[in-house]
Amino acid sequence: MGKKRKHSEAEAVAAPNKDDTAPERPKRSLLGWKDRNEVTGEVKDYGSPIFRNKEKVLVTCSRRINYRYRHLMLNVVSLLPHCKKENKVESKEAKGSTLNELVELKNCSSCLFFECRKQKDLYLWMAKCPNGPSVKFLVSAVHTMEELKLTGNQLKGSRPILTFSANFEKDAHWKLLKEMLFQIFGTPKEHRKSKPFHDRVFVFSVVDDHIWFRNYQISVPHNESDKLPRGGLEKMTLVEVGPRFCLNPIKIFGGSFGGPILYENPFYVSPNQIRALEKRKKAGKYAKKIKAKTRRKMHEIENPLEPDEFADMWKEE
């Protein structure tokens, strides 16, 4: 039999140098390599926990909404995979508390409320619940996907690329609106209902103090073998797929669906005032006709025609 090693020699063999050992391999998941801190749930060195975007949006509408505006709401729901749809809510003064309760029950952090008045005017409430802020818009120039028939071939649930015009950096209220639009329309990364692809672009542009929304599909030419040709990325184009609408900001509130007014649009004119002015114009046209008739009668009375000497020539005796 061989000789036994001494106890000191066995300890020297069992304890290798720490510098010679390879670093521990991180655990692998379906989405790639995971950080050790993420797996164990520990806090990183700089003392802040890992940020995970858990934004959820509640989308609902008021009762007696027009079919066209309801289709627009359903189009918005199809564009946002991180939203939750709710039944209709009564549009009254106490709608703010009701909507805040619904948002809390649905475990959401934002709300899009489509409010229809007189089956003609559509208002959009965009709010961060429960502490605010919130914005009230007047929606105009509405064109739904069914109306435009711009079907496209985009993937449902894909993450969009948000683009904003340079006008959003001018004033403070535009910066606030940009941040709210970015949080509500931006799909969270690794959301369970979203697809890890970018094949669409949401465009928000400010023209004439209005926010214009457009939805484009990123179209790339393919060969028959479904492979990109050489230089195919340079031939990338944008194809509009809808919907499209225009947002006119009315007021920005400090709270959720109410509170102190942070901004009020001085150029806003309500649709009721516009319709009243059109009626006044039509009433003015009718009044002009009546005045012209009275002037004609007064002129005939003041200037009578001379009697015709041949008027009774052909009368039978």
Side-chain angles (χ1 to χ4, degrees):
M1 296 180 64
K3 294 182 180 180
K4 293 184 178 180
R5 291 182 179 178
K6 294 182 181 180
H7 186 65
S8 60
E9 293 179 0
E11 287 182 354
V13 174
N17 190 5
K18 291 184 179 180
D19 298 336
D20 298 339
T21 60
E24 184 182 355
R25 191 177 185 183
K27 293 186 178 181
R28 181 168 176 79
S29 65
L30 294 175
L31 302 177
W33 299 105
K34 274 195 175 181
D35 191 4
R36 194 178 194 182
N37 296 328
E38 292 185 14
V39 175
T40 57
E42 297 177 0
V43 179
K44 291 196 175 183
D45 296 336
Y46 46 82
S48 62
I50 301 164
F51 172 74
R52 183 172 179 82
N53 188 3
K54 295 184 179 180
E55 180 76 21
K56 294 179 184 178
V57 184
L58 178 69
V59 181
T60 182
C61 64
S62 63
R63 294 187 181 276
R64 295 174 294 277
I65 191 172
N66 195 358
Y67 72 96
R68 195 160 173 238
Y69 299 148
R70 186 176 68 252
H71 290 173
L72 175 65
M73 183 192 69
L74 295 177
N75 291 339
V76 173
V77 169
S78 65
L79 294 179
L80 305 179
H82 61 289
C83 75
K84 294 184 179 181
K85 187 177 176 296
E86 182 58 33
N87 294 330
K88 298 177 181 178
V89 179
E90 190 66 36
S91 177
K92 293 183 178 179
E93 294 180 357
K95 63 178 178 293
S97 58
T98 306
L99 288 170
N100 285 328
E101 290 178 3
L102 284 174
V103 169
E104 186 177 359
L105 288 173
K106 291 289 184 178
N107 195 19
C108 297
S109 55
S110 304
C111 181
L112 291 176
F113 177 59
F114 291 85
E115 184 180 5
C116 187
R117 298 284 182 88
K118 297 182 179 180
Q119 294 186 349
K120 297 179 181 178
D121 309 325
L122 180 64
Y123 298 91
L124 174 61
W125 284 87
M126 191 179 296
K128 299 291 292 183
C129 300
N131 299 322
S134 58
V135 191
K136 185 179 181 181
F137 296 99
L138 174 66
V139 186
S140 59
V142 174
H143 297 280
T144 61
M145 288 184 180
E146 294 81 4
E147 184 181 354
L148 292 172
K149 295 182 180 179
L150 303 175
T151 55
N153 194 22
Q154 72 278 9
L155 183 65
K156 186 174 181 180
S158 61
R159 298 183 63 215
I161 299 174
L162 303 182
T163 60
F164 297 88
S165 62
N167 302 339
F168 279 96
E169 301 297 331
K170 286 185 177 181
D171 299 324
H173 64 279
W174 290 121
K175 291 181 180 179
L176 176 60
L177 292 176
K178 177 182 177 180
E179 184 63 28
M180 290 188 68
L181 292 170
F182 180 79
Q183 292 184 16
I184 291 176
F185 284 88
T187 304
K189 187 179 180 181
E190 298 179 2
H191 190 271
R192 61 187 183 87
K193 289 186 178 180
S194 67
K195 309 296 189 301
F197 305 104
H198 296 281
D199 66 343
R200 66 178 67 199
V201 180
F202 290 170
V203 180
F204 298 93
S205 55
V206 178
V207 180
D208 296 334
D209 294 328
H210 291 62
I211 299 176
W212 298 81
F213 173 80
R214 295 290 184 270
N215 179 23
Y216 295 97
Q217 174 199 346
I218 302 174
S219 179
V220 182
H222 286 75
N223 290 334
E224 295 180 358
S225 60
D226 200 17
K227 293 184 178 179
L228 282 176
R230 183 172 294 179
L233 293 177
E234 298 178 357
K235 300 178 182 179
M236 212 181 324
T237 56
L238 296 178
V239 181
E240 186 177 359
V241 293
R244 59 167 74 164
F245 52 87
C246 176
L247 300 177
N248 184 12
I250 303 173
K251 290 181 182 180
I252 301 178
F253 300 94
S256 177
F257 298 100
I261 299 175
L262 304 180
Y263 170 77
E264 186 173 0
N265 190 359
F267 305 105
Y268 170 71
V269 181
S270 67
N272 292 330
Q273 293 180 356
I274 295 174
R275 286 192 288 267
L277 290 174
E278 291 178 355
K279 287 183 179 179
R280 287 178 187 175
K281 287 182 180 179
K282 292 180 180 179
K285 289 181 181 180
Y286 179 73
K288 286 180 182 179
K289 288 181 181 180
I290 298 298
K291 287 181 181 179
K293 287 182 179 180
T294 53
R295 282 199 303 268
R296 180 62 183 172
K297 288 182 180 179
M298 293 299 295
H299 179 74
E300 290 177 355
I301 293 171
E302 292 175 359
N303 303 303
L305 294 174
E306 296 180 358
D308 189 6
E309 56 181 2
F310 301 105
D312 301 332
M313 179 184 293
W314 305 105
K315 282 186 178 181
E316 294 181 358
E317 294 180 0

